[in-house]
Amino acid sequence: MHLSEILMHLGENREDYFNAVTPPVVQSSNFAFPTLDAFRHALASEADRPVYTRGDNPTVHILREKLAALEKTEDALVFGSGMAAISAAVLANVHAGAHVACVNAPYSWARSLMGTYLPRFGVSCTFVDGQDLAAVEGAIREETTLLYLESPNSLTFELQDLAACAALAKRRGIVTCIDNSYASPVFQNPAALGIDLVVHSGTKYLNGHSDVVFGAVCSTREQISKIFKGEYMTLGGVLSPHDAALALRGLRTLELRMERSHRTACDIAARLEAHPAVASVNYPWLPSFGQHELARRQMSGAGGLLSFYLKTTDFAEAEAFFDRLEHFLLAVSWGGHESLVLPSAAFYKVPGREDPPVPWALVRLYLGLEDTEWLWADLKQALDAVQH
Ligand SMILES: *Cc1c(COP(=O)(O)O)cnc(C)c1O
């Protein structure tokens, strides 16, 4: 199905709601039935029929259909946050005594889920360098049930060879799950490479306007049905119809936004690489990126997120760089309309917190939808003032 058809039409049964071109927000917690038999019928397929909004809801359902089609999977579920989606996907595929093999630097809370939270329930986890297929294979044990990937990750963008990881896991009878938030379904479809579960922080590109927190799991009918009956209905981390409607609006421009951010990021990454105050740049679409070839093979673009190292060895100099920026907002998150800068230095010297393992000179940039020259002018004036 064409991307345009998915984003603009799929799942929108307009004759059901007065031929409105924009689907209504069905802000109802429950749904009534004309007869006992109709009630009974609906209960038989609660995952796909509106009975109760913790299960299915017509507005939320449209979002599910679009996301499944975007990721080329049979079905999808959406959640109240990316972490609710990740937790559901992971929990559905472990049990007491099971083991998870996970890439080294996944999203921090996903790391905390697998490294700290799950061990309380007898699930162990090994973190492994996902760039090294032999190391991934070496981390797999008799009791491993899940291989968890994030490619690229969202700070230094290490990739995993998805087709190779999927094939390896299939041979060993292990389920694979990937966080595909960085590439978005526009630039990477892991299911087409053999990955079983694709999870998203929809808060980032899918919604794209920094006004909704949501998550998604896209997979086979079998996996989604298992997650629906288990984690979805039981833990209840669902998305509200109103937020689903906002996410549907955001999705209309997904392709346009991805293309724009990607173009700007390619341009800015090259200019940063040439600036004397910058030591090096991490961006999968730069020819200098260590895994550039693999990125080209399994992705069709990289989007708006990159990082770089300031050359300075003076913490105060770095601090002054951030304070000089006027067009980039200092904030966490990414994937919205607004360009952002996330200084690792912000996580240093925080009262009551240990300094993080990443160097303070590492800066993450998110290029949003603004004009490239306008953004570069801001970066350049701030960089020019850093001694080098
Ligand atoms: C933000 C983020 C998450 C978590 O998503 P939430 O919607 O904030 O719960 C997971 N993975 C990646 C890569 C992210 O950037």
Side-chain angles (χ1 to χ4, degrees), residues 154-165:
S154 61
L155 184 61
T156 43
F157 320 119
E158 284 86 6
L159 275 66
Q160 297 99 55
D161 183 329
L162 300 186
C165 284

Side-chain angles (χ1 to χ4, degrees), residues 36 48 60 73 93 106 111 119 141 183 187 208 213 266 329 364 378 380:
L36 184 71
D48 298 300
V60 175
T73 57
N93 289 287
R111 188 177 169 102
R141 303 186 202 156
F187 290 147
V213 171
C266 284
L329 304 178
R364 189 178 78 182
D378 189 33
K380 187 175 181 308

Side-chain angles (χ1 to χ4, degrees), residues 81-83 86 107 150 154 179 181 201 203-204 213-214 334:
S81 72
M83 275 316 302
I86 291 169
Y107 179 68
E150 186 178 319
S154 61
D179 184 334
S181 305
S201 170
T203 312
K204 313 296 162 53
V213 171
F214 97 93
W334 50 276

Side-chain angles (χ1 to χ4, degrees), residues 35-52:
T35 63
L36 184 71
D37 195 49
F39 201 161
R40 198 179 276 134
H41 255 87
L43 285 174
S45 52
E46 212 182 345
D48 298 300
R49 302 242 199 122
V51 174
Y52 185 55

Side-chain angles (χ1 to χ4, degrees), residues 330-349:
L330 287 173
V332 297
S333 200
W334 50 276
H337 52 285
E338 77 291 8
S339 289
L340 300 169
V341 60
L342 181 70
S344 299
F347 296 87
Y348 276 73
K349 307 179 180 183

